[in-house]
């Protein structure tokens, strides 16, 4: 039987620990960046029917009126600061409207009945393209108390 012995000096041990730590940091950085990108991409959310749209709003706890408004619009090809800010809200909730510049979409507007203490003027706007939800918001349409947030209310 043969035995192999290895005599390590403190500098060699430090070098091995440094290399192993470096490899671990690189691997963790790669994995966390990869997982972060895959989580930020929104899932495909079907919104072709009224029921699907209402069910999506219900996942956030929103109660809606029976009636809704439907309007066709085109997302502009070039954006001013307002559109850029609005897309920032969309990106924070996993959507990105930049892929839809110049495309026709349908805007569905639902009245929200249970937003905190406010009973009037709160609506959910849902942007739908080819039956898929591509963005939207919860907003107060009044001039004095107006706000615009993501579907989760933040």
């Amino acid at each position: 039987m043969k035995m192999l012995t290895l005599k390590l000096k403190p500098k060699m041990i430090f070098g091995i620990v440094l290399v192993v730590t470096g490899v671990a940091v690189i691997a963790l950085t790669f994995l966390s960046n990869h997982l972060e990108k895959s989580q930020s991409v929104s899932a495909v959310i079907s919104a072709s029917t009224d029921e699907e749209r209402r069910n999506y709003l219900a996942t956030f706890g929103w109660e809606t009126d029976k009636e809704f408004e439907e309007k066709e619009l085109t997302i502009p090809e070039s954006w001013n600061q307002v559109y850029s800010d609005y897309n920032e809200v969309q990106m924070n909730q996993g959507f990105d409207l930049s892929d839809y510049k110049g495309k026709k979409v349908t805007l569905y507007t639902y009245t929200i009945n249970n937003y905190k203490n406010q009973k009037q003027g709160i609506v959910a706007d849902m942007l739908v393209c080819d039956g898929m939800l591509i963005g939207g918001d919860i907003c107060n349409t009044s001039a004095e108390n107006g706000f615009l947030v993501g579907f989760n209310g933040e």
Side-chain angles (χ1 to χ4, degrees), residues 36-121:
E36 184 178 307
K37 285 180 185 173
S38 65
Q39 290 173 353
S40 69
V41 175
S42 67
V44 175
I45 301 166
S46 181
S48 58
T49 67
D50 178 50
E51 181 181 12
E52 289 175 331
R53 293 186 296 273
R54 288 180 193 276
N55 286 342
Y56 182 74
L57 292 172
T59 63
F60 296 100
W62 303 126
E63 297 171 6
T64 59
D65 278 351
K66 292 182 181 182
E67 302 296 317
F68 66 91
E69 294 179 24
E70 179 178 343
K71 181 170 46 172
E72 297 293 318
L73 56 95
T74 302
I75 296 178
E77 291 212 23
S78 61
W79 290 353
N80 59 18
Q81 191 60 45
V82 173
Y83 279 99
S84 295
D85 291 346
Y86 185 71
N87 197 46
E88 191 68 34
V89 171
Q90 300 313 307
M91 291 175 69
N92 287 338
Q93 59 183 353
F95 300 107
D96 185 0
L97 297 178
S98 60
D99 293 337
Y100 298 92
K101 288 181 176 182
K103 293 193 178 184
K104 290 187 179 194
V105 300
T106 305
L107 172 66
Y108 295 95
T109 302
Y110 293 87
T111 300
I112 300 293
N113 297 321
N114 63 331
Y115 187 86
K116 300 183 181 178
N117 295 329
Q118 300 180 17
K119 298 289 182 194
Q120 294 181 335

XYZ file of all heavy atoms in Angstrom, residues 36-121:
713
model
N -32.344 36.175 -10.764
C -32.985 37.488 -10.706
C -33.586 37.850 -12.051
O -34.704 38.331 -12.143
C -31.968 38.541 -10.271
C -32.560 39.929 -10.092
C -31.517 40.904 -9.606
O -30.874 40.612 -8.592
O -31.356 41.957 -10.245
N -32.878 37.599 -13.133
C -33.387 37.912 -14.467
C -34.597 37.058 -14.789
O -35.568 37.524 -15.334
C -32.303 37.703 -15.521
C -31.266 38.780 -15.520
C -30.214 38.537 -16.576
C -29.126 39.584 -16.467
N -28.017 39.307 -17.359
N -34.556 35.785 -14.444
C -35.680 34.924 -14.779
C -36.902 35.262 -13.943
O -38.023 35.089 -14.394
C -35.317 33.455 -14.617
O -35.059 33.158 -13.274
N -36.746 35.766 -12.742
C -37.880 36.136 -11.917
C -38.466 37.472 -12.335
O -39.641 37.705 -12.140
C -37.466 36.210 -10.443
C -37.177 34.851 -9.851
C -36.605 34.956 -8.457
O -36.304 36.033 -7.966
N -36.439 33.819 -7.817
N -37.689 38.367 -12.917
C -38.200 39.670 -13.287
C -39.004 39.636 -14.576
O -39.746 40.540 -14.869
C -37.063 40.684 -13.405
O -36.271 40.374 -14.531
N -38.862 38.576 -15.352
C -39.634 38.452 -16.578
C -41.036 38.021 -16.190
O -41.221 37.038 -15.493
C -38.990 37.413 -17.526
C -39.859 37.194 -18.735
C -37.604 37.855 -17.910
N -42.022 38.789 -16.640
C -43.381 38.475 -16.245
C -43.852 37.187 -16.894
O -43.497 36.863 -18.015
C -44.315 39.625 -16.624
O -44.397 39.737 -18.013
N -44.668 36.467 -16.165
C -45.273 35.269 -16.701
C -46.323 35.681 -17.727
O -46.819 36.792 -17.718
C -45.916 34.476 -15.570
N -46.654 34.775 -18.601
C -47.699 35.047 -19.574
C -49.029 34.984 -18.835
O -49.379 33.952 -18.260
C -47.644 34.019 -20.724
C -48.797 34.227 -21.674
C -46.313 34.114 -21.440
N -49.737 36.099 -18.838
C -51.006 36.192 -18.120
C -52.107 36.403 -19.143
O -52.184 37.450 -19.773
C -50.986 37.341 -17.097
C -49.849 37.119 -16.096
C -52.324 37.462 -16.398
C -49.520 38.314 -15.257
N -52.933 35.397 -19.298
C -54.041 35.499 -20.242
C -55.077 36.471 -19.696
O -55.469 36.398 -18.535
C -54.663 34.129 -20.475
O -55.724 34.244 -21.402
N -55.493 37.400 -20.547
C -56.488 38.405 -20.154
C -57.459 38.654 -21.305
O -57.920 39.759 -21.519
C -55.789 39.691 -19.742
N -57.769 37.609 -22.035
C -58.629 37.774 -23.203
C -60.102 37.861 -22.840
O -60.885 38.384 -23.620
C -58.386 36.640 -24.207
O -58.618 35.398 -23.593
N -60.480 37.370 -21.672
C -61.884 37.435 -21.265
C -62.051 38.300 -20.028
O -61.102 38.514 -19.255
C -62.446 36.034 -20.961
O -61.796 35.524 -19.781
C -62.231 35.072 -22.122
N -63.272 38.768 -19.841
C -63.603 39.565 -18.660
C -63.322 38.769 -17.386
O -62.767 39.289 -16.421
C -65.077 39.993 -18.736
C -65.519 40.792 -17.539
O -64.821 41.761 -17.171
O -66.581 40.460 -16.968
N -63.659 37.500 -17.398
C -63.448 36.656 -16.228
C -61.963 36.545 -15.878
O -61.583 36.636 -14.703
C -64.037 35.267 -16.467
C -63.889 34.340 -15.282
C -64.460 32.957 -15.543
O -64.773 32.636 -16.703
O -64.569 32.198 -14.570
N -61.111 36.364 -16.886
C -59.669 36.269 -16.628
C -59.126 37.567 -16.058
O -58.300 37.542 -15.132
C -58.919 35.921 -17.917
C -59.135 34.505 -18.376
C -58.487 34.193 -19.700
O -58.329 35.108 -20.541
O -58.136 33.015 -19.907
N -59.574 38.695 -16.566
C -59.101 39.988 -16.051
C -59.557 40.206 -14.615
O -58.778 40.616 -13.756
C -59.556 41.117 -16.967
C -58.901 41.074 -18.343
C -59.260 42.272 -19.189
N -60.680 42.360 -19.505
C -61.260 41.769 -20.545
N -60.536 41.039 -21.387
N -62.553 41.921 -20.764
N -60.818 39.910 -14.343
C -61.332 40.060 -12.971
C -60.619 39.111 -12.001
O -60.316 39.483 -10.875
C -62.837 39.819 -12.937
C -63.634 40.937 -13.567
C -65.134 40.644 -13.502
N -65.866 41.538 -14.343
C -66.255 42.764 -13.984
N -65.958 43.216 -12.788
N -66.938 43.516 -14.818
N -60.374 37.887 -12.448
C -59.662 36.929 -11.594
C -58.262 37.415 -11.274
O -57.769 37.241 -10.157
C -59.605 35.547 -12.252
C -60.931 34.833 -12.210
O -61.817 35.182 -11.428
N -61.098 33.841 -13.065
N -57.583 38.025 -12.252
C -56.246 38.553 -11.998
C -56.310 39.675 -10.952
O -55.507 39.697 -10.017
C -55.606 39.070 -13.291
C -54.202 39.569 -13.069
C -53.157 38.676 -12.872
C -53.917 40.927 -13.035
C -51.861 39.120 -12.643
C -52.625 41.381 -12.807
C -51.609 40.470 -12.617
O -50.334 40.919 -12.377
N -57.262 40.578 -11.096
C -57.408 41.655 -10.105
C -57.749 41.082 -8.729
O -57.274 41.587 -7.702
C -58.470 42.656 -10.555
C -58.110 43.489 -11.782
C -59.313 44.304 -12.251
C -56.927 44.390 -11.505
N -58.529 40.026 -8.698
C -58.915 39.405 -7.428
C -57.724 38.791 -6.712
O -57.715 38.699 -5.480
C -59.993 38.354 -7.662
N -56.675 38.397 -7.460
C -55.492 37.844 -6.790
C -54.827 38.884 -5.893
O -54.087 38.532 -4.987
C -54.451 37.297 -7.797
O -53.972 38.365 -8.615
C -55.033 36.180 -8.646
N -55.085 40.162 -6.157
C -54.548 41.243 -5.314
C -55.589 41.708 -4.304
O -55.366 42.667 -3.570
C -54.112 42.424 -6.187
C -52.986 42.075 -7.114
C -53.235 41.783 -8.441
C -51.684 42.011 -6.656
C -52.204 41.446 -9.304
C -50.650 41.678 -7.503
C -50.905 41.385 -8.827
N -56.758 41.070 -4.304
C -57.807 41.418 -3.361
C -58.768 42.486 -3.849
O -59.615 42.945 -3.088
N -58.683 42.880 -5.107
C -59.539 43.958 -5.608
C -60.922 43.442 -5.968
O -61.072 42.413 -6.627
C -58.917 44.643 -6.822
C -57.548 45.193 -6.574
C -56.426 44.932 -7.289
C -57.152 46.088 -5.546
N -55.359 45.611 -6.769
C -55.778 46.325 -5.683
C -57.821 46.715 -4.498
C -55.058 47.155 -4.842
C -57.114 47.542 -3.645
C -55.745 47.759 -3.818
N -61.940 44.206 -5.538
C -63.332 43.934 -5.894
C -63.747 44.978 -6.922
O -63.483 46.170 -6.740
C -64.221 44.024 -4.658
C -63.879 42.983 -3.602
C -64.608 43.218 -2.293
O -65.464 44.126 -2.216
O -64.304 42.494 -1.334
N -64.414 44.531 -7.992
C -64.749 45.429 -9.089
C -66.250 45.497 -9.312
O -67.001 44.601 -8.921
C -64.094 44.940 -10.402
O -64.552 43.622 -10.684
C -62.584 44.931 -10.297
N -66.677 46.598 -9.968
C -68.061 46.721 -10.420
C -68.310 45.721 -11.534
O -67.373 45.188 -12.136
C -68.329 48.134 -10.969
C -68.620 49.145 -9.862
O -68.778 48.737 -8.700
O -68.692 50.344 -10.189
N -69.576 45.514 -11.850
C -69.927 44.602 -12.935
C -69.572 45.188 -14.294
O -69.216 44.477 -15.210
C -71.413 44.263 -12.884
C -71.781 43.430 -11.679
C -73.250 43.078 -11.679
C -73.561 42.268 -10.424
N -74.945 41.855 -10.365
N -69.669 46.491 -14.420
C -69.408 47.160 -15.693
C -67.920 47.468 -15.835
O -67.212 47.620 -14.842
C -70.193 48.471 -15.776
C -71.702 48.294 -15.624
C -72.308 47.474 -16.747
O -71.930 47.691 -17.913
O -73.147 46.608 -16.446
N -67.464 47.572 -17.081
C -66.098 47.992 -17.357
C -66.090 48.742 -18.679
O -67.022 48.646 -19.469
C -65.126 46.808 -17.382
C -65.360 45.833 -18.510
C -64.708 45.983 -19.726
C -66.231 44.764 -18.362
C -64.911 45.096 -20.767
C -66.439 43.870 -19.392
C -65.781 44.029 -20.607
N -65.033 49.516 -18.895
C -64.866 50.246 -20.140
C -63.774 49.580 -20.964
O -62.807 49.046 -20.418
C -64.488 51.702 -19.868
C -65.583 52.501 -19.196
C -65.157 53.939 -18.923
O -64.256 54.438 -19.628
O -65.718 54.536 -18.000
N -63.934 49.656 -22.273
C -62.965 49.077 -23.199
C -62.619 50.129 -24.245
O -63.507 50.768 -24.801
C -63.585 47.855 -23.872
C -62.716 47.165 -24.869
C -63.401 45.941 -25.456
O -64.390 45.432 -24.896
O -62.930 45.494 -26.508
N -61.319 50.327 -24.479
C -60.887 51.338 -25.436
C -59.630 50.855 -26.151
O -58.725 50.315 -25.519
C -60.611 52.645 -24.685
C -60.170 53.785 -25.556
C -60.126 55.155 -24.870
C -59.488 55.201 -23.544
N -59.312 56.566 -23.016
N -59.598 51.050 -27.458
C -58.411 50.727 -28.245
C -57.473 51.929 -28.229
O -57.920 53.068 -28.329
C -58.798 50.408 -29.691
C -59.683 49.186 -29.852
C -58.997 47.880 -29.506
O -57.814 47.717 -29.887
O -59.624 47.038 -28.852
N -56.182 51.667 -28.094
C -55.198 52.745 -28.167
C -53.890 52.210 -28.713
O -53.691 51.010 -28.794
C -54.992 53.419 -26.798
C -54.587 52.554 -25.605
C -53.089 52.584 -25.444
C -55.247 53.088 -24.360
N -53.041 53.129 -29.111
C -51.726 52.758 -29.632
C -50.654 53.286 -28.694
O -50.661 54.458 -28.327
C -51.514 53.357 -31.046
O -52.554 52.878 -31.903
C -50.169 52.948 -31.612
N -49.752 52.418 -28.298
C -48.637 52.852 -27.454
C -47.672 53.607 -28.365
O -47.252 53.088 -29.398
C -47.956 51.650 -26.783
C -48.967 50.971 -25.842
C -46.701 52.074 -26.036
C -48.469 49.751 -25.137
N -47.339 54.844 -27.995
C -46.475 55.664 -28.868
C -45.109 55.014 -29.107
O -44.592 54.297 -28.254
C -46.308 56.968 -28.096
C -47.360 56.966 -27.054
C -47.706 55.552 -26.778
N -44.548 55.304 -30.273
C -43.217 54.784 -30.588
C -42.121 55.545 -29.856
O -41.121 54.970 -29.464
C -42.991 54.835 -32.103
C -43.873 53.850 -32.816
C -43.244 53.297 -34.065
O -42.014 53.307 -34.191
O -44.020 52.845 -34.906
N -42.311 56.856 -29.693
C -41.337 57.636 -28.921
C -42.036 58.138 -27.663
O -43.176 58.557 -27.704
C -40.793 58.796 -29.752
O -41.831 59.664 -30.128
N -41.313 58.045 -26.562
C -41.892 58.360 -25.261
C -41.343 59.659 -24.702
O -40.150 59.949 -24.825
C -41.589 57.249 -24.258
C -42.313 55.969 -24.528
C -43.274 55.744 -25.462
C -42.123 54.742 -23.850
N -43.704 54.447 -25.407
C -43.002 53.798 -24.419
C -41.299 54.335 -22.822
C -43.093 52.485 -23.984
C -41.384 53.018 -22.395
C -42.269 52.104 -22.963
N -42.219 60.383 -24.012
C -41.774 61.520 -23.214
C -41.544 61.003 -21.788
O -41.620 59.801 -21.530
C -42.788 62.666 -23.272
C -44.163 62.252 -22.759
O -44.315 61.250 -22.061
N -45.179 63.017 -23.114
N -41.272 61.890 -20.875
C -40.963 61.476 -19.499
C -42.143 60.786 -18.823
O -41.964 59.867 -18.025
C -40.509 62.689 -18.668
C -39.919 62.312 -17.324
C -38.693 61.416 -17.449
O -37.811 61.655 -18.260
N -38.626 60.357 -16.646
N -43.365 61.195 -19.159
C -44.558 60.585 -18.562
C -44.621 59.094 -18.922
O -44.838 58.243 -18.055
C -45.841 61.322 -19.014
C -47.087 60.584 -18.539
C -45.833 62.755 -18.504
N -44.418 58.773 -20.196
C -44.443 57.371 -20.604
C -43.278 56.594 -20.000
O -43.425 55.429 -19.611
C -44.427 57.250 -22.131
C -45.776 57.453 -22.749
C -46.114 58.679 -23.305
C -46.722 56.442 -22.769
C -47.363 58.877 -23.873
C -47.970 56.638 -23.331
C -48.291 57.857 -23.886
O -49.519 58.057 -24.445
N -42.120 57.209 -19.911
C -40.973 56.534 -19.305
C -41.237 56.247 -17.830
O -40.924 55.152 -17.339
C -39.714 57.386 -19.460
O -39.381 57.511 -20.818
N -41.823 57.215 -17.121
C -42.167 57.005 -15.705
C -43.216 55.905 -15.552
O -43.149 55.075 -14.642
C -42.663 58.301 -15.074
C -41.561 59.343 -14.935
O -40.367 58.991 -15.069
O -41.905 60.527 -14.703
N -44.213 55.909 -16.453
C -45.257 54.887 -16.401
C -44.657 53.504 -16.646
O -45.015 52.538 -15.969
C -46.349 55.180 -17.434
C -47.525 54.228 -17.338
C -48.414 54.299 -16.271
C -47.728 53.258 -18.298
C -49.481 53.424 -16.169
C -48.794 52.380 -18.218
C -49.669 52.470 -17.147
O -50.736 51.600 -17.053
N -43.726 53.411 -17.584
C -43.103 52.121 -17.842
C -42.255 51.667 -16.653
O -42.115 50.474 -16.412
C -42.257 52.145 -19.116
C -41.951 50.746 -19.604
O -42.830 49.905 -19.670
N -40.699 50.501 -19.930
N -41.727 52.605 -15.903
C -40.983 52.247 -14.688
C -41.903 51.545 -13.688
O -41.518 50.552 -13.060
C -40.360 53.505 -14.061
C -39.369 53.222 -12.977
C -38.098 52.561 -13.479
O -37.656 52.854 -14.597
O -37.544 51.729 -12.737
N -43.126 52.045 -13.552
C -44.130 51.383 -12.696
C -44.384 49.971 -13.222
O -44.463 49.008 -12.454
C -45.441 52.196 -12.646
C -46.544 51.417 -11.940
C -45.223 53.538 -11.975
N -44.504 49.851 -14.547
C -44.752 48.541 -15.145
C -43.593 47.583 -14.891
O -43.799 46.419 -14.541
C -45.008 48.675 -16.655
C -46.182 49.538 -17.015
C -47.413 49.211 -16.199
O -47.845 48.071 -16.130
N -47.982 50.218 -15.559
N -42.380 48.076 -15.046
C -41.209 47.225 -14.850
C -41.088 46.768 -13.401
O -40.632 45.651 -13.138
C -39.956 47.944 -15.327
C -39.950 48.109 -16.850
S -38.586 49.077 -17.495
C -37.224 47.978 -17.182
N -41.521 47.604 -12.473
C -41.478 47.227 -11.062
C -42.424 46.084 -10.737
O -42.271 45.420 -9.716
C -41.786 48.429 -10.169
C -40.647 49.415 -10.120
O -39.493 49.074 -10.388
N -40.958 50.659 -9.811
N -43.426 45.865 -11.606
C -44.343 44.759 -11.363
C -44.199 43.640 -12.401
O -45.050 42.780 -12.532
C -45.784 45.254 -11.273
C -46.312 45.971 -12.467
C -47.726 46.489 -12.244
O -48.374 46.198 -11.233
N -48.233 47.249 -13.182
N -43.072 43.653 -13.132
C -42.754 42.544 -14.017
C -43.179 42.712 -15.459
O -43.062 41.774 -16.246
N -43.689 43.873 -15.839
C -44.077 44.132 -17.221
C -43.082 45.106 -17.845
O -42.353 45.777 -17.145
C -45.484 44.746 -17.291
C -46.562 43.874 -16.715
C -47.153 44.189 -15.502
C -46.992 42.740 -17.386
C -48.146 43.391 -14.968
C -47.985 41.936 -16.861
C -48.562 42.261 -15.637
N -43.081 45.193 -19.173
C -42.245 46.157 -19.878
C -42.955 46.532 -21.167
O -43.105 45.702 -22.065
C -40.867 45.576 -20.171
C -39.909 46.582 -20.794
O -40.311 47.751 -21.008
O -38.758 46.207 -21.057
N -43.396 47.772 -21.256
C -44.150 48.227 -22.421
C -43.261 48.601 -23.599
O -43.769 48.833 -24.694
C -45.028 49.427 -22.044
C -46.102 49.150 -21.000
C -46.867 50.425 -20.677
C -47.047 48.064 -21.483
N -41.963 48.640 -23.413
C -41.085 49.065 -24.502
C -41.150 48.112 -25.694
O -40.918 48.516 -26.828
C -39.649 49.254 -24.021
O -39.135 48.050 -23.510
N -41.492 46.864 -25.456
C -41.640 45.909 -26.558
C -42.900 46.167 -27.384
O -43.072 45.576 -28.448
C -41.690 44.475 -26.022
C -40.376 44.049 -25.400
O -39.330 44.641 -25.743
O -40.383 43.123 -24.574
N -43.784 47.011 -26.879
C -45.077 47.249 -27.532
C -45.177 48.645 -28.145
O -46.266 49.073 -28.527
C -46.213 47.017 -26.534
C -46.225 45.591 -26.032
C -45.542 45.237 -24.866
C -46.861 44.585 -26.748
C -45.522 43.933 -24.425
C -46.849 43.276 -26.315
C -46.178 42.949 -25.150
O -46.148 41.648 -24.718
N -44.062 49.333 -28.275
C -44.079 50.663 -28.885
C -44.641 50.572 -30.297
O -44.236 49.724 -31.081
C -42.673 51.270 -28.920
C -42.167 51.708 -27.575
C -40.787 52.324 -27.693
C -40.310 52.857 -26.369
N -38.999 53.505 -26.473
N -45.604 51.443 -30.586
C -46.221 51.491 -31.905
C -47.313 50.459 -32.131
O -47.911 50.428 -33.196
N -47.592 49.629 -31.140
C -48.604 48.577 -31.305
C -49.946 49.009 -30.733
O -50.023 49.763 -29.772
C -48.144 47.284 -30.631
C -46.946 46.678 -31.304
C -46.702 45.279 -30.834
C -45.509 44.724 -31.600
N -45.238 43.362 -31.293
N -50.997 48.476 -31.333
C -52.355 48.715 -30.830
C -52.633 47.745 -29.700
O -52.321 46.560 -29.794
C -53.379 48.537 -31.947
C -53.316 49.628 -32.973
C -54.438 49.522 -33.963
C -54.295 50.682 -34.942
N -55.474 50.890 -35.739
N -53.199 48.287 -28.627
C -53.557 47.487 -27.465
C -54.973 47.869 -27.038
O -55.517 48.876 -27.488
C -52.566 47.694 -26.286
C -51.158 47.303 -26.688
C -52.593 49.113 -25.767
N -55.541 47.063 -26.172
C -56.859 47.353 -25.624
C -56.693 47.725 -24.157
O -56.014 47.020 -23.407
C -57.789 46.140 -25.758
O -57.827 45.744 -27.136
C -59.191 46.485 -25.305
N -57.311 48.822 -23.777
C -57.302 49.279 -22.385
C -58.648 48.923 -21.773
O -59.694 49.359 -22.257
C -57.073 50.789 -22.318
C -57.231 51.436 -20.941
C -56.148 50.958 -19.986
C -57.214 52.950 -21.058
N -58.622 48.106 -20.715
C -59.821 47.764 -19.966
C -59.754 48.507 -18.640
O -58.735 48.458 -17.952
C -59.906 46.261 -19.718
C -60.071 45.459 -20.983
C -58.971 44.911 -21.637
C -61.329 45.254 -21.540
C -59.115 44.173 -22.803
C -61.489 44.527 -22.711
C -60.378 43.989 -23.331
O -60.521 43.267 -24.488
N -60.837 49.181 -18.294
C -60.882 49.950 -17.050
C -62.012 49.420 -16.170
O -63.173 49.381 -16.590
C -61.091 51.449 -17.336
O -60.022 51.903 -18.181
C -61.090 52.258 -16.054
N -61.644 49.024 -14.951
C -62.588 48.498 -13.967
C -62.618 49.426 -12.760
O -61.572 49.875 -12.300
C -62.161 47.108 -13.500
C -62.249 46.049 -14.559
C -61.194 45.828 -15.438
C -63.388 45.265 -14.680
C -61.268 44.855 -16.422
C -63.467 44.287 -15.662
C -62.412 44.085 -16.532
O -62.492 43.123 -17.498
N -63.798 49.683 -12.224
C -63.918 50.466 -10.999
C -63.610 49.555 -9.813
O -64.159 48.456 -9.704
C -65.338 51.046 -10.850
O -65.584 51.889 -11.977
C -65.474 51.851 -9.568
N -62.724 50.014 -8.936
C -62.345 49.270 -7.732
C -63.191 49.785 -6.575
O -63.261 50.991 -6.323
C -60.841 49.455 -7.419
C -59.975 48.948 -8.578
C -60.468 48.776 -6.109
C -60.029 47.464 -8.807
N -63.812 48.860 -5.849
C -64.721 49.233 -4.756
C -64.110 49.134 -3.369
O -64.726 49.571 -2.402
C -65.973 48.339 -4.797
C -66.752 48.527 -6.062
O -66.892 49.627 -6.561
N -67.259 47.434 -6.605
N -62.934 48.569 -3.232
C -62.407 48.309 -1.890
C -60.972 48.807 -1.707
O -60.169 48.167 -1.038
C -62.483 46.816 -1.574
C -61.630 45.964 -2.496
O -61.391 46.315 -3.636
N -61.178 44.828 -1.988
N -60.635 49.961 -2.260
C -59.283 50.492 -2.089
C -59.216 51.309 -0.806
O -59.741 52.421 -0.736
C -58.860 51.352 -3.282
C -57.406 51.781 -3.202
C -56.412 50.957 -3.681
C -57.047 52.991 -2.629
C -55.088 51.322 -3.601
C -55.715 53.369 -2.545
C -54.744 52.525 -3.028
O -53.431 52.893 -2.931
N -58.626 50.736 0.207
C -58.440 51.386 1.513
C -59.727 52.074 1.938
O -60.777 51.453 1.987
C -57.234 52.316 1.472
C -55.957 51.564 1.132
C -54.739 52.421 1.159
C -53.532 51.582 0.771
N -52.326 52.328 0.724
N -59.692 53.362 2.266
C -60.886 54.072 2.725
C -61.595 54.817 1.609
O -62.578 55.503 1.856
C -60.520 55.061 3.839
C -60.031 54.344 5.080
O -60.461 53.238 5.363
N -59.127 54.967 5.812
N -61.088 54.711 0.400
C -61.661 55.484 -0.700
C -62.674 54.639 -1.462
O -62.384 53.532 -1.892
C -60.551 55.962 -1.631
C -59.553 56.846 -0.906
C -58.455 57.332 -1.822
O -58.574 57.287 -3.026
N -57.376 57.815 -1.233
N -63.858 55.181 -1.621
C -64.935 54.444 -2.272
C -65.155 54.885 -3.707
O -65.759 54.173 -4.485
C -66.250 54.621 -1.491
C -66.200 54.074 -0.085
C -66.171 52.576 -0.103
C -66.168 52.018 1.313
N -65.841 50.646 1.396
N -64.688 56.067 -4.093
C -64.964 56.576 -5.433
C -63.676 56.999 -6.131
O -62.717 57.418 -5.491
C -65.907 57.771 -5.367
C -67.287 57.403 -4.863
C -68.204 58.604 -4.822
O -67.745 59.727 -4.726
N -69.497 58.348 -4.899
N -63.708 56.886 -7.451
C -62.610 57.393 -8.258
C -61.417 56.477 -8.393
O -60.423 56.835 -9.010
